[in-house]
Amino acid sequence: MPLQFFNTLTRAKEEFRPLIPGQVRMYTCGPTVYNFAHIGNFRAYIFEDLLRRFLKYKGFKVTQVMNLTDIDDKIIKGTIELKVSLSDFTSPFKKKFFQDLDTLGIERAELYPEATAHIPEMVEIVKKLLAKGLAYEIDGNYYYSIIKFPSYGKLAHIDITGLKAGARVAADEYEKESVSDFALWKAWDERDGDVYWETELGKGRPGWHLECSAMSMKYLGETFDIHTGGVDNIFPHHENEIAQSEGALGRKFVNYWLHCEHLIVEGRKMSKSLGNFYTLDDILEKGYPPVAVRSVLLSTQYRQQLNFTFEGLDAAREGLKRFNDFYRNLRDYGGGESSGEADDFIKKLLTDFENALDDDLNISPALGALFDFIRDINRLKAEGKLSADERVRALQAVEKINTVLNFLIKDWASPRQDSQIDAMIAARADAKKRRDYPAADKIRAQLLEMGIILEDTPTGTKWKRKL
RNA sequence: GGCGGCUUAGCCAAGCGGUAAGGCGGAGGUCUGCAAAACCUCUAUUCUCCGGUUCGAUUCCGGAAGCCGCCUCCA
């Protein structure tokens, strides 16, 4: 099966063909750094991580750009409230964002350009739009005239004649030619404090959509392969990016638009007022391992709404224990007499896993293939029908799959040097030899208190960390 | 008001015209001093509801109910 993605532009699954064979250039909408990201945000970043990792798995060279929006209304408001500079306000959020990416095992993009570092590029686009008659200026504000861009609405499938002034249109934008026109550049006023840039367009700051047009074309070229974001970005953000980029350059902006659905919590929209609003730290403070959060956010296909529940998080943790136990136990396995079945299981795993993800990143059957494999190989092991050579090939297959999933926990289980743990295990072995089981069980209980779980095997006692 | 998505076992979640993957949970069994890990068996006669098309529908069509969105700065 060829790799297929559901393209928001055409509302259909399409075979993926990058502009340059073997290379993928993609732009993934990043955070606005005005507060800490919530788990809904991370659902999007995890989806993008899956996309990126699977493309690499398929052998593509990936160039991913993720923007950091470090200038917008909320950020300006924050700088004024806290009486700090723009960069002093945003830098802690930027730092925390990258920490959280690491915590969730999200692979870094090639580039994280910041909006504030690309003001000249944005000004250039506005100048091009002005020259083409697609933009106009009123009192230092520059707007895009969407009526001059006939295909406006093609991504969101919105008929612009149906767009009407809504309650959410700010009162200070009354001077626009049309209420649906959007701001490219906003003139400075006193509410902006000392946040402004002196440019050919005057003293002011960029509109929200402009940065993505400017930075994507700078780093990925005027036309590139994939652009992603949450479904809420389809309109107006991505629609406006298309208008800006295609209007300024007169050529197609992006070939494949992928949007991930939102996450809801316990069947309800996540909101602060419902008390079901969670940042990553909120979840981790409850004692869940980060990889369980990764698993929950990854395990529902990206175009399905994801219902985040703590019951689901518990289930994810148990499933990860099984996967990590499987991997560790397979690594420690000595080998037996081959029944000839293992290579068929390996082949089936790799085929089914790849076929599932080829189909618009359909993760559920891919995970189904993995758990089938775990059961099949464990059965062969239990029956002594897995050879040492087959064991190596099975491990390689699992490791290959883990380059996409990233579910294996490093340094989770023995063997590893830890004098205290090793001494306690030795003391317990002594007690067991004397058949002093109460003493042995006491040591085991002490280790459990320390978060260490023991497993007695024919080749000795192994230990692992409690997940 | 306009446009769109979803509803499958206790929970999560595939399948989308030929008789329900997988995970978690639960029950029983094997192994073990006991655990842990692992293996085996069982756990939806049925896919929100009501009609229709069809030899046959969870899958297609129509309608209803519930939930979640977008309609100018929220992933």
Side-chain angles (χ1 to χ4, degrees), chain A residues 415-425 450 452 463 465:
Chain A
R416 188 174 25 171
Q417 294 305 310
D418 186 306
S419 53
Q420 189 193 1
I421 293 171
D422 292 346
M424 288 172 76
I425 288 174
M450 295 159 59
I452 302 298
W463 61 269
R465 296 198 180 280

Side-chain angles (χ1 to χ4, degrees), chain A residues 22-304:
Chain A
Q23 294 188 29
V24 180
R25 289 170 293 170
M26 59 188 234
Y27 189 90
T28 51
C29 268
T32 300
V33 285
Y34 71 99
N35 65 7
F36 300 122
H38 56 70
I39 54 172
N41 299 119
F42 287 114
R43 199 262 167 115
Y45 306 137
I46 291 272
F47 145 64
E48 287 151 2
D49 188 50
L50 174 65
L51 174 62
R52 168 192 175 79
R53 286 170 177 271
F54 186 59
L55 286 167
K56 289 174 76 173
Y57 180 97
K58 296 281 285 184
F60 290 104
K61 176 180 181 291
V62 174
T63 304
Q64 179 190 359
V65 173
M66 178 177 276
N67 62 295
L68 297 176
T69 298
D70 56 356
I71 168 68
D72 90 325
D73 290 356
K74 291 182 199 116
I75 291 170
I76 291 172
K77 202 175 155 207
T79 64
I80 290 167
E81 279 172 5
L82 299 180
K83 295 184 169 60
V84 293
S85 72
L86 198 63
S87 65
D88 282 350
F89 180 77
T90 57
S91 66
F93 298 120
K94 287 177 185 171
K95 194 176 163 204
K96 177 62 175 159
F97 172 69
F98 287 111
Q99 277 177 3
D100 286 349
L101 292 187
D102 291 344
T103 300
L104 287 173
I106 294 172
E107 198 167 80
R108 292 293 175 97
E110 278 63 34
L111 286 158
Y112 290 94
E114 298 169 340
T116 53
H118 296 80
I119 302 296
E121 289 87 342
M122 295 190 229
V123 170
E124 282 308 307
I125 291 176
V126 177
K127 283 167 65 184
K128 282 198 178 92
L129 293 172
L130 286 167
K132 293 197 173 190
L134 291 166
Y136 58 92
E137 180 259 326
I138 296 175
D139 296 337
N141 294 302
Y142 293 76
Y143 298 104
Y144 194 104
S145 180
I146 63 169
I147 201 155
K148 305 257 179 67
F149 188 72
S151 66
Y152 192 83
K154 70 178 176 182
L155 180 70
H157 295 241
I158 280 174
D159 179 2
I160 54 169
T161 59
L163 285 178
K164 293 197 175 107
R168 292 166 74 183
V169 174
D172 64 354
E173 294 185 4
Y174 66 91
E175 78 276 14
K176 287 190 292 187
E177 286 177 2
S178 161
V179 289
S180 303
D181 290 348
F182 60 91
L184 295 162
W185 184 264
K186 300 179 178 184
W188 178 87
D189 71 32
E190 57 257 12
R191 288 173 301 176
D192 295 341
D194 54 7
V195 177
Y196 61 83
W197 284 264
E198 292 279 10
T199 72
E200 290 175 65
L201 302 176
K203 179 178 176 179
R205 61 190 168 95
W208 173 39
H209 318 294
L210 197 53
E211 64 179 68
C212 289
S213 287
M215 299 192 296
S216 61
M217 72 175 69
K218 175 169 181 178
Y219 297 108
L220 296 172
E222 295 181 349
T223 302
F224 57 94
D225 302 301
I226 299 175
H227 194 129
T228 73
V231 288
D232 54 290
N233 280 152
I234 296 171
F235 194 88
H237 185 50
H238 290 162
E239 192 69 56
N240 290 350
E241 281 183 48
I242 291 174
Q244 290 168 163
S245 296
E246 299 192 356
L249 299 171
R251 55 180 289 179
K252 194 172 185 190
F253 178 41
V254 170
N255 283 332
Y256 302 89
W257 288 90
L258 276 58
H259 292 96
C260 79
E261 254 297 344
H262 279 178
L263 164 156
I264 58 177
V265 175
E266 308 283 356
R268 293 278 140 189
K269 181 180 178 175
M270 181 167 73
S271 74
K272 286 179 176 165
S273 61
L274 284 174
N276 63 359
F277 185 96
Y278 298 108
T279 64
L280 180 58
D281 287 348
D282 291 336
I283 307 293
L284 300 183
E285 280 164 13
K286 293 178 188 289
Y288 289 98
V291 69
V293 179
R294 176 179 176 86
S295 171
V296 161
L297 296 180
L298 193 65
S299 301
T300 298
Q301 202 260 355
Y302 74 95
R303 286 195 295 120
Q304 300 297 320

Side-chain angles (χ1 to χ4, degrees), chain A residues 398-419:
Chain A
V398 169
E399 283 160 4
K400 184 166 188 213
I401 282 191
N402 193 57
T403 64
V404 176
L405 300 177
N406 198 18
F407 282 169
L408 292 177
I409 301 159
K410 288 185 181 64
D411 295 329
W412 175 61
S414 62
R416 188 174 25 171
Q417 294 305 310
D418 186 306
S419 53

